[in-house]
Amino acid sequence: MENPVEATISSGALRGSQASGISRFLGIPYAAAPIGERRFRAPAAPTAWSGIRDATRFGATAPQSAYGGPIGELLSCPMIEGDDILTANVWSPADAAASPVVLWIHGGALERGAAAEPTYDGTSFARDGVVFVSVNYRLGVEGFSVLEGAPMNLGLLDVARALEWVHAEIGAFGGDPTRITLMGESAGGALVAALLARPTSRALVAGAIIQSGPLEATSPQKARRASDAIARRLGIPPTRDAFAAQMTGDLLRARAQVAAGSSPLRGAPGFALAVDAATLPVSPEHALADLDLPLLIGTNTDEYRLWLTPEAIADIGPMKAWLARRALRVPERAARTVRAALPDASAGEVLGQLLTDRLLRAPATRVARARKAPTYLYEFSWESPVRGLGAAHALELGFVFDTLTTDQAVKLAGHDAPSDLAREMHRAWVSFITKGDPGWPAFGTERMTRIWDAAPRVAPQRRAAVVDALR
């Protein structure tokens, strides 16, 4: 049974709910709604309210298009209408006092996703003594366009503002502002890395978790290709004024038209973080190497199997794979190393592994090897029985959150995913958030890695020669 519970922050009083010793406050504005004159502007402070604000429902979802095609059969996103998209959600133990804090940033290729996804429910973390916070941020054309007259990396500025809000307000929920761990997956992991590359944001963080997150920010010239394509489609200049004069729905439709038929190997450019003196002064991979705080970082064995269907993989023959490797600038030495490590793999599977390693595993390894601060590397390798996914991108989320029974977790992992593996993996994440140590040796010269499988174990990094060939 739920009971009302109240908290007061600088913007005003909140009424959330409490059940089974966990308090929950949803849809709390950490910044003003980015509408009207605030579109394509840096986030502004939230407007204070009088009386008690209801905090029992999630805030609005950032405008986005639904997943389509085969990936849409596996991934979905709650769609909640409204203007107040820059909101935070807090789960905390009812007796929290100076408790450790984690700030979760969802993924979705910088253009999809929402904190309201049930797989991201913070109950399990609060149950284990952690104050859990999740946030929404601007996505896609509204969050990551490169436009004349607008700041770059607006979605990054949103999560930077959210981090500042957590630091200032989390004490009202029993959290310790000196014990904030950042945590994100995929694009959310990229945003975690980007926050750590910003000196003002980095100063507020005690530790970080990056799950399958790209670590590179590109040049503004490359990052602008997605918004330039939208501008051409609409026949408008790529400026803040021209984009702000368009309805959000029209911008989304133009993006969908531009991206129609795209795949990870060809098609329209995606949205990307841009190196920019004002918002992201250095590419995150370089910043992480010198960061003096604990880092938990890792990838899934078969990331590519979420992006490429079994039919698409089977359709990749030797010539198509060679052309793709050239386009991706993958050294032939790396391809030979993958073939030696996976002698039974098809040309498409070899290419998929190279895609996984070049985009995610090699950068994570370079960071782990370069760092002096404690760094804990993992590889999630439990294989889903669904659609040949293997250990695909995003599969680990239901295990980390211990939420294997949600619709999305079941779509990815099936109905019989091992709950004992989820409990053990979740405990390791809680241990890192609480103590800065997940329970296995830090990465060093022996390259020790936690392998999350039906029988979890610690072993030297697997297929190390492949990532070394991708330096």
Side-chain angles (χ1 to χ4, degrees):
M1 179 178 176
E2 290 190 348
N3 296 306
V5 61
E6 294 184 5
T8 300
I9 59 175
S10 58
S11 300
L14 298 163
R15 179 177 291 119
S17 60
Q18 188 177 96
S20 302
I22 295 171
S23 301
R24 186 177 70 169
F25 297 86
L26 306 178
I28 312 165
Y30 68 79
I35 58 174
E37 281 301 309
R38 288 192 289 268
R39 284 181 75 199
F40 300 101
R41 304 285 194 204
T47 303
W49 57 85
S50 58
I52 301 177
R53 181 186 178 99
D54 177 69
T56 61
R57 293 178 298 219
F58 286 103
T61 304
Q64 60 191 275
S65 299
Y67 288 100
I71 198 170
E73 299 170 6
L74 299 170
L75 300 181
S76 58
C77 178
M79 296 293 188
I80 303 171
E81 297 295 326
D83 296 329
D84 259 329
I85 63 172
L86 302 183
T87 57
N89 315 290
V90 181
W91 286 257
S92 63
D95 59 353
S99 298
V101 180
V102 66
L103 171 56
W104 165 252
I105 303 173
H106 70 77
L110 299 178
E111 59 180 319
R112 293 184 176 88
E117 162 55 44
T119 304
Y120 309 151
D121 187 286
T123 298
S124 61
F125 284 95
R127 176 196 67 203
D128 293 332
V130 173
V131 178
F132 179 93
V133 185
S134 63
V135 295
N136 285 341
Y137 54 95
R138 280 174 284 185
L139 299 169
V141 64
E142 299 271 346
F144 295 95
S145 291
V146 178
L147 305 172
E148 180 184 340
M152 292 188 202
N153 303 311
L154 284 169
L156 172 60
L157 294 183
D158 291 344
V159 293
R161 167 66 191 159
L163 173 59
E164 293 166 2
W165 181 91
V166 171
H167 189 265
E169 308 288 2
I170 204 62
F173 306 96
D176 184 345
T178 69
R179 301 175 69 191
I180 300 171
T181 296
L182 299 177
M183 172 178 159
E185 184 266 347
S186 192
L191 288 168
V192 166
L195 286 172
L196 297 174
R198 292 167 43 89
T200 54
S201 300
R202 183 168 62 239
L204 306 180
V205 178
I209 302 172
I210 299 174
Q211 300 169 211
S212 303
L215 303 180
E216 180 185 12
T218 190
S219 68
Q221 291 73 27
K222 287 186 178 179
R224 69 177 304 136
R225 290 185 296 181
S227 43
D228 281 356
I230 292 169
R232 287 193 297 272
R233 184 78 187 186
L234 292 172
I236 60 175
T239 66
R240 187 264 164 192
D241 289 347
F243 272 53
Q246 302 293 313
M247 299 292 289
T248 298
D250 292 337
L251 294 172
L252 288 172
R253 277 188 290 276
R255 167 61 182 169
Q257 291 162 358
V258 166
S262 294
S263 77
L265 300 179
R266 61 176 177 81
F271 292 97
L273 290 163
V275 175
D276 167 57
T279 60
L280 184 57
V282 64
S283 186
E285 181 176 341
H286 303 304
L288 290 174
D290 299 323
L291 201 61
D292 188 22
L293 53 78
L295 175 66
L296 172 57
I297 188 169
T299 58
N300 298 356
T301 303
D302 307 307
E303 304 271 7
Y304 70 97
R305 290 186 182 273
L306 180 67
W307 311 318
L308 299 174
T309 65
E311 294 76 19
I313 294 168
D315 189 51
I316 298 172
M319 179 56 68
K320 187 181 288 189
W322 180 79
L323 291 170
R325 292 197 302 271
R326 283 182 60 87
L328 295 168
R329 297 181 180 179
V330 172
E332 283 303 305
R333 181 167 70 95
R336 291 194 297 272
T337 307
V338 171
R339 284 194 289 267
L342 304 171
D344 297 326
S346 69
E349 289 169 331
V350 169
L351 179 63
Q353 194 63 56
L354 287 166
L355 185 66
T356 291
D357 290 352
R358 186 183 183 280
L359 178 64
L360 299 172
R361 202 163 71 99
T365 303
R366 287 195 296 268
V367 163
R369 296 185 73 178
R371 282 171 47 84
K372 294 184 174 64
T375 306
Y376 303 93
L377 197 72
Y378 75 86
E379 179 182 347
F380 183 83
S381 61
W382 181 80
E383 295 187 0
S384 168
V386 176
R387 206 199 73 177
L389 286 175
H393 191 66
L395 181 63
E396 88 287 0
L397 289 168
F399 293 84
V400 167
F401 281 83
D402 197 8
T403 52
L404 289 176
T405 58
T406 63
D407 287 347
Q408 184 158 294
V410 170
K411 286 179 181 178
L412 289 169
H415 290 279
D416 298 317
S419 57
D420 55 343
L421 177 59
R423 286 191 295 270
E424 188 172 351
M425 197 168 181
H426 174 74
R427 277 197 302 268
W429 263 237
V430 170
S431 177
F432 180 83
I433 294 163
T434 304
K435 299 182 291 188
D437 183 342
W440 67 85
F443 193 86
T445 55
E446 295 182 350
R447 302 172 76 152
M448 301 308 287
T449 304
R450 182 68 163 177
I451 310 298
W452 292 107
D453 203 340
R457 61 201 181 277
V458 176
Q461 185 181 36
R462 305 194 300 181
R463 305 178 310 285
V466 177
V467 295
D468 291 348
L470 289 166
R471 288 184 188 176

